[in-house]
């Protein structure tokens, strides 16, 4: 092979490799924040990422990975620059990465079979009602961590309750119908998205039990984007974009609110 031929092959090969300014990891099984539609990842978090890319005039590659790898990959600063996957701010995660301002507050929900409803209190379920049950959740998610904590030393300790991890909330919900688990714990919108497509399933909010029903309070979490601690400029741009998208309009709805409705299929936009 001639030197010219080798040079041409090298040139065209180099042209075929696309380079990016930033890599953002997600787990594309968490509608309405990120999910596959026509083999493309779409959702609320993707809209946020695209807005940041536009503001920075940068090329951003969104990679789908296992959920519980995202924080460590972002912390490395080599594999990923940021992570967007409905990530909850926790002290343990904040030691590894920087978080943007919160852009959504979610309540944990319990998904169960319509014919096997746990005991409820004024329209919600408390941890104690899950005693002795086989509970599923997405591995590495906040729901999974909440359940594990309650089994280790909370309301479910020594009750016989067990937690089983799945690759996604949808797979956990599927396991209810297959009688592998009794119920699943998932973020509010993910739970609502799942039960809307399955008439045999129901979802109700999960609460901590107070002295009275009125003193019960929800298991809440706040979502933010995770950014590598060395990427201060990227963090600041994410915060600027989120601040803009969180401004409410005359009807009290922010752009984030409207995107959630859009990707939940509740609007035509």
């Amino acid at each position: 092979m001639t030197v010219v031929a080798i040079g041409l092959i090298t040139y065209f090969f180099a042209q075929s490799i696309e380079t990016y300014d930033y890599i953002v990891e997600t787990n594309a099984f968490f509608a309405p924040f990120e999910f596959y539609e026509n083999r493309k990842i779409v959702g609320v978090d993707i809209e946020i990422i695209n807005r940041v890319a536009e503001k920075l005039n940068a090329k951003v590659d969104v990679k789908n990975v296992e959920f519980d790898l995202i924080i460590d990959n972002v912390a490395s600063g080599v594999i990923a620059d940021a992570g967007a996957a409905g990530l909850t701010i926790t002290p343990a995660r904040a030691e590894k990465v920087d978080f943007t301002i919160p852009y959504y507050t979610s309540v944990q929900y319990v998904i169960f079979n319509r014919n096997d409803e746990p005991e409820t209190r004024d329209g919600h379920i408390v941890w104690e009602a899950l005693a002795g049950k086989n509970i599923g959740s997405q591995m590495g998610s906040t729901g999974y961590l909440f359940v594990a904590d309650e089994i280790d030393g909370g309301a479910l300790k020594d009750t016989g309750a067990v937690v089983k991890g799945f690759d996604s909330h949808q797979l956990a919900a599927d396991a209810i119908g297959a009688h592998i688990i009794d119920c699943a714990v998932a973020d509010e919108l993910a739970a609502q998205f799942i039960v809307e497509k399955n008439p045999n399933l129901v979802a109700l909010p999960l609460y901590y039990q107070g002295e009275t029903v009125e003193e019960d309070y929800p298991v809440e979490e706040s979502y933010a984007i995770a950014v590598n601690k060395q990427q201060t400029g990227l963090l600041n741009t994410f915060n600027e974009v989120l601040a803009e998208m969180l401004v409410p309009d005359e009807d009290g709805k922010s752009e984030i609110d409207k995107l959630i409705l859009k990707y939940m299929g509740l609007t035509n936009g």
Side-chain angles (χ1 to χ4, degrees):
M1 185 178 291
T2 67
V3 174
V4 173
I6 293 173
L8 288 172
I9 291 172
T10 303
Y11 171 79
F12 285 115
F13 180 73
Q15 294 302 306
S16 68
I17 300 175
E18 193 164 11
T19 58
Y20 295 92
D21 299 299
Y22 299 102
I23 295 174
V24 180
E25 290 189 341
T26 190
N27 180 260
F29 301 97
F30 188 59
F33 291 93
E34 41 270 316
F35 60 100
Y36 276 104
E37 185 175 82
N38 299 324
R39 293 187 290 185
K40 181 181 179 182
I41 303 175
V42 299
V44 178
D45 285 341
I46 308 307
E47 298 265 7
I48 295 170
I49 294 167
N50 290 341
R51 189 72 61 84
V52 167
E54 182 181 342
K55 187 177 281 284
L56 290 172
N57 192 27
K59 294 182 70 173
V60 177
D61 186 22
V62 178
K63 290 185 176 295
N64 179 40
V65 301
E66 292 183 20
F67 181 84
D68 55 359
L69 296 178
I70 295 174
I71 293 296
D72 286 338
N73 287 351
V74 173
S76 76
V78 176
I79 302 174
D81 301 292
L87 292 168
T88 301
I89 302 170
T90 70
R93 289 173 177 173
E95 290 181 1
K96 298 180 178 181
V97 299
D98 284 336
F99 280 107
T100 64
I101 59 174
Y103 62 94
Y104 185 76
T105 299
S106 176
V107 175
Q108 291 293 311
Y109 267 56
V110 181
I111 305 171
F112 53 89
N113 190 291
R114 184 175 296 278
N115 298 319
D116 190 25
E117 180 176 317
E119 181 182 349
T120 61
R121 286 163 62 94
D122 197 24
H124 61 261
I125 296 171
V126 294
W127 284 112
E128 286 77 359
L130 304 183
K133 294 191 179 296
N134 293 318
I135 308 166
S137 191
Q138 179 176 315
M139 182 68 74
S141 69
T142 312
Y144 182 93
L145 299 176
F146 275 134
V147 176
D149 283 347
E150 291 300 316
I151 290 174
D152 287 343
L156 300 179
K157 185 178 181 180
D158 298 328
T159 68
V162 296
V163 60
K164 181 175 177 59
F166 294 84
D167 287 340
S168 70
H169 289 309
Q170 182 62 64
L171 289 175
D174 292 343
I176 298 172
H179 305 291
I180 296 172
I181 57 175
D182 299 308
C183 60
V185 173
D187 303 69
E188 177 183 3
L189 293 179
Q192 292 177 350
F193 191 87
I194 288 167
V195 301
E196 283 174 5
K197 299 178 181 303
N198 191 328
N200 295 320
L201 297 178
V202 178
L204 289 176
L206 179 61
Y207 276 52
Y208 292 103
Q209 184 169 327
E211 291 295 325
T212 65
V213 173
E214 290 75 19
E215 294 177 343
D216 292 352
Y217 59 98
V219 181
E220 288 186 332
E221 56 184 320
S222 294
Y223 296 167
I225 309 294
V227 181
N228 178 268
K229 285 183 176 289
Q230 304 304 314
Q231 293 280 9
T232 305
L234 183 61
L235 176 69
N236 291 339
T237 304
F238 265 112
N239 280 332
E240 290 173 14
V241 166
L242 288 171
E244 294 167 1
M245 297 178 75
L246 286 167
V247 176
D249 62 13
E250 60 274 9
D251 296 322
K253 285 188 171 56
S254 69
E255 190 173 353
I256 296 289
D257 295 330
K258 293 175 182 177
L259 286 171
I260 289 171
L261 293 174
K262 170 186 172 181
Y263 287 108
M264 287 287 287
L266 300 178
T267 67
N268 295 323

